[in-house]
Amino acid sequence: MSLLSMASDVLARFDQVEAVLESRFRGRPSFRVACPHATTESVLAPFLAEIDVPIVDLEIVPAAEVDDLLGGRADLAVSSLVPPAHRRQIAIATVPIMIQARDVRTRFPGAEYGDLESMTHESLVVPRSGVGAAVMSAVAHLAFLMPVRDVAAGSVAQAFAANGQGYALTTEPLRFGLDAIPARANGVPLTITLYASWDATHYATDALEDVAADLRSWLQAHPTWPDSAEV
């Protein structure tokens, strides 16, 4: 093990000890959650505003980095990327991916879904997250190539769509005067799964599972995306 790896491991263990001491002082666990900015805005912040759970702060990082924080700066990770197999995890929601643009209802008049097959000459804008991965996978299975541009976040994709620079495929709540329709490819609605995951050796693994279950239950009653989802 390199000196840098050893130092990182020591710091992670120190953070865990500090969390245990803080929990004993407060009389209940004190958890920090790693999540992307979009998940903070549309899921966790509204959840924390209504439900009293032992979460004391959020660590906001790109989706690809949330798992790296477990065992150190964060106790729980929430994102749309599939957690590694060695993590304890539960699926907390299945979220529809929406095509968003100001003219989307004109583009798909009277339709229940927007089929990607009908958008061969359109530019699609997706966030670099589980949403983007799902769209890229769906497009790869079509019989033709489609122009797909990935950007930093769903809100950025929405901004470009509002400015007429393509159609955003995202799960964020509507803004910028956009309208939305559920996306579909090869007759299958496009969705992502939102996961909560944590270290199986965490000192409070049962309490973390309770928090994840509370979040799942809250999302069942309060979906925060433009259309309903299954859990």
Side-chain angles (χ1 to χ4, degrees), residues 151-195:
V151 295
S155 58
V156 178
Q158 289 177 311
F160 285 123
N163 199 28
Q165 299 183 43
Y167 288 80
L169 277 86
T170 186
T171 60
E172 270 80 356
L174 293 171
R175 68 185 86 187
F176 307 139
L178 300 177
D179 202 348
I181 188 171
R184 187 169 63 180
N186 285 325
V188 179
L190 297 188
T191 63
I192 58 165
T193 300
L194 200 60
Y195 296 93

Side-chain angles (χ1 to χ4, degrees), residues 98-104 107-108 116 119-126 146-151 154-170 175-179:
M98 311 296 287
I99 302 172
Q100 297 190 11
R102 288 181 173 170
D103 67 343
V104 74
R107 179 67 177 74
F108 301 99
L116 297 191
M119 303 181 73
T120 54
H121 301 295
E122 311 289 357
S123 175
L124 307 182
V125 190
V126 301
M146 295 186 67
V148 181
R149 177 162 61 115
D150 65 329
V151 295
S155 58
V156 178
Q158 289 177 311
F160 285 123
N163 199 28
Q165 299 183 43
Y167 288 80
L169 277 86
T170 186
R175 68 185 86 187
F176 307 139
L178 300 177
D179 202 348

Side-chain angles (χ1 to χ4, degrees), residues 33-38 40 58-67 69 73:
V33 181
C35 57
H37 181 267
T40 298
L58 306 180
E59 295 284 346
I60 302 173
V61 295
E65 298 177 17
V66 297
D67 186 73
L69 271 60
R73 288 161 49 194

